[in-house]
Structure formats: C-alpha cells, structure tokens
Amino acid sequence: NAGVTQTPKFQVLKTGQSMTLQCAQDMNHEYMSWYRQDPGMGLRLIHYSVGAGITDQGEVPNGYNVSRSTTEDFPLRLLSAAPSQTSVYFCASRSAAGAEDNEQFFGPGTRLTVL
Amino acid sequence: DAKTTQPTSMDCAEGRAANLPCNHSTISGNEYVYWYRQIHSQGPQYIIHGLKNNETNEMASLIITEDRKSSTLILPHATLRDTAVYYCIVRVQGGADGLTFGKGTHLIIQP
C-alpha cells in the first residue's frame, strides 16, 4: 500500500491564483481530513469527509473548498490564494470501523507559499 | 474535546527512557488519550492510545493516572530518531471529525 499520497510536494502561487491540492489513499478508508500547519503551531482542521459525497467544515474552512466524489480522493481547492494561506497542508485518512478507527494516517504534506 | 497541557520542550539522553507528561484535567468519561508524534517536516504518526488502563505497544507505553486527569508517554530506550514533537490529544473514540492538535512537546534526544 502507498498509504496517503499528496501532490504536489511544493507549490508557489501568486495572490489571487487558484489551485487544487491532491490527496489520495489506497486503504479504503471512509474518513479523510485536511489540516494546515503554520510555523511553530499544531495542525488545524480545515475540512473533513466521512464518505463519498459527504463533507463538513473543520476549525478553519474559510478560503478552501473540498469535494469527495470517490472513496480514494479528497482534493482541497484554493479558489483565490492569499498570503495568509501560506502553510504546510496535510491530508489524513482513517477507517471508520472497529479497532482500526484508532489510528489516523497522514500524508507527507504540501508546502504552499503564496506571494 | 478536552484541553491538554504539555511542556514545551524536553531533553533526554540517548538510550534512556523518555517520559513525556500530559495534563488533561477536564477529560470526560468517554474520551480517550491519544499520542502522535511529528518528526521534522513529516506528517504526524500515531503512537498509542488508551482509555483508563495502561497500554504498551512496540513503540511506547502509556500510563494513565487512576483519576484520568493526567498521563505519561514512555519511550523505553530513546534513540536519536525519536527526536520529534509529541502531541497528546484527548477525544471521543470513533468521532468522524479530525484531531485537535496543541503545540505539543519538542523532545530532543541528546547523543
């Protein structure tokens, strides 16, 4: 299993540009989440999904959109990038069932800079 | 989810046991204690979790006090690769939303 994969690893945008951060998992996990991490801080939840077609907002959803058309993929869209969105973005997934729901698996992160 | 309090940083000598404390005095009866760590620039990694009994796995041991208001993560024989930020998280098991991360404890293993 590849686990949770994220692309790209690095991205530089100009203010106002749009882009999509990709996240995919091959573990057939129902739950997927997006976090952002600013320097010296813990991770903050942006959006999450409990299954295909179902998404909900986390702690810091403004400026971001998500969709979940398949179990495997959970892309994060920035419609109009702002410097305040400069951060490291982590995607995560976990199973909803039984003892497996204890562990959340994280991707390697996407480092985004908005100029 | 209950709030947790951890020291900002700790040092430990290589080969010794690293004991990382966490206070969670407002924990509810159905909330578990989870530990994750984040090695520099990588995504967080699950370590262990528990409700009220002490737990041990191949990575660490988790000691939860009888009143459940605090816990200690123990890395029995710390190595340089254990240098990381360690997060103590309290939450209800099975919740659909994500984890609430504080600033964690930066553990530095000294050679």
Side-chain angles (χ1 to χ4, degrees):
Chain A
N1 288 349
V4 179
T5 57
Q6 294 183 237
T7 57
K9 291 185 178 180
F10 300 94
Q11 183 69 49
V12 179
L13 294 177
K14 295 181 179 179
T15 297
Q17 286 185 315
S18 63
M19 80 159 295
T20 299
L21 308 185
Q22 301 292 343
C23 174
Q25 53 92 9
D26 61 359
M27 297 172 281
N28 202 32
H29 286 168
E30 294 85 352
Y31 296 161
M32 296 187 74
S33 311
W34 275 103
Y35 297 83
R36 62 176 287 174
Q37 184 174 33
D38 299 323
M41 305 292 290
L43 282 70
R44 292 184 293 169
L45 183 66
I46 305 173
H47 285 284
Y48 64 96
S49 169
V50 301
I54 306 170
T55 64
D56 207 344
Q57 297 181 349
E59 179 186 357
V60 289
N62 292 341
Y64 307 96
N65 282 349
V66 292
S67 60
R68 184 96 179 272
S69 57
T70 67
T71 299
E72 294 77 20
D73 301 298
F74 190 41
L76 178 72
R77 280 182 287 276
L78 286 70
L79 297 179
S80 179
S84 60
Q85 294 178 304
T86 294
S87 191
V88 181
Y89 291 84
F90 290 101
C91 179
S93 76
R94 66 181 175 86
S95 172
E100 294 176 273
D101 82 347
N102 300 323
E103 179 175 0
Q104 193 156 145
F105 294 84
F106 286 82
T110 294
R111 283 145 187 81
L112 175 67
T113 300
V114 183
L115 302 175
Chain B
D1 296 336
K3 179 179 172 60
T4 62
T5 303
Q6 299 177 251
T8 302
S9 65
M10 294 180 62
D11 288 349
C12 179
E14 188 178 18
R16 303 297 295 267
N19 297 278
L20 291 89
C22 179
N23 285 323
H24 32 79
S25 58
T26 61
I27 192 170
S28 300
N30 63 345
E31 288 182 314
Y32 285 68
V33 179
Y34 291 82
W35 283 85
Y36 281 74
R37 74 179 182 183
Q38 186 176 24
I39 296 171
H40 181 62
S41 298
Q42 299 181 20
Q45 175 191 23
Y46 167 84
I47 302 173
I48 199 167
H49 79 285
L51 181 62
K52 54 184 178 181
N53 296 322
N54 298 337
E55 302 287 345
T56 296
N57 63 18
E58 65 278 4
M59 289 182 67
S61 295
L62 174 60
I63 308 299
I64 302 174
T65 58
E66 191 169 347
D67 63 7
R68 302 209 322 123
K69 292 185 177 181
S70 66
S71 59
T72 301
L73 178 74
I74 301 172
L75 307 178
H77 304 287
T79 70
L80 297 178
R81 288 174 294 180
D82 291 321
T83 292
V85 178
Y86 288 75
Y87 298 99
C88 171
I89 298 167
V90 171
R91 63 163 287 147
V92 175
Q93 187 182 36
D97 58 349
L99 300 169
T100 300
F101 288 82
K103 293 186 179 181
T105 296
H106 187 196
L107 176 66
I108 300 171
I109 306 302
Q110 305 283 0

